[in-house]
Amino acid sequence: MFHTWHAGADCVNPAVSIGVRANGDKAWFGWPDIPPVEKEVTAWFEANSLDEEKTAIARLNKAALDGVVYAPTGFFLNYQAWRKNVSGIVKGPLPFFWGVGKAV
């Protein structure tokens, strides 16, 4: 078992979701090689319309679950606390530090 976590933005689509990839040696170490999963990732990349993307994603989800590429085990919220004299904090899937300032 390989236990890790991702921010929500890491799982938005197959282009950035490395956990769903199943291309063996080109994926994470020890990750499976499941051609039906990779076929649907390619279909998603090659889709010419939103409907084609949705169809490819539905097939990808089924192939990934059938092949047990990964098993989500939970969800958590990551809270952050900032001092009152810190400003410019923007909400996001992870801390963004540009535009942050500190009152003297």
Side-chain angles (χ1 to χ4, degrees):
M1 173 186 259
F2 176 65
H3 184 270
T4 188
W5 64 273
H6 300 281
D10 295 331
C11 304
V12 164
N13 63 49
V16 294
S17 182
I18 61 174
V20 79
R21 298 306 299 265
N23 51 352
D25 292 339
K26 295 176 188 157
W28 271 340
F29 56 92
W31 227 241
D33 184 10
I34 305 174
V37 171
E38 285 304 303
K39 176 185 170 202
E40 298 310 333
V41 170
T42 301
W44 180 84
F45 276 114
E46 295 175 350
N48 292 316
S49 68
L50 183 58
D51 286 337
E52 286 180 21
E53 282 185 32
K54 288 179 180 181
T55 301
I57 287 294
R59 292 190 314 254
L60 171 60
N61 286 339
K62 180 173 182 350
L65 289 172
D66 288 348
V68 193
V69 176
Y70 73 101
T73 57
F75 176 82
F76 69 94
L77 295 174
N78 192 9
Y79 293 100
Q80 302 168 8
W82 302 93
R83 294 174 61 129
K84 289 181 181 180
N85 65 340
V86 175
S87 63
I89 303 298
V90 295
K91 290 185 177 187
L94 49 106
F96 298 115
F97 296 108
W98 52 84
V100 174
K102 180 179 168 187
V104 183

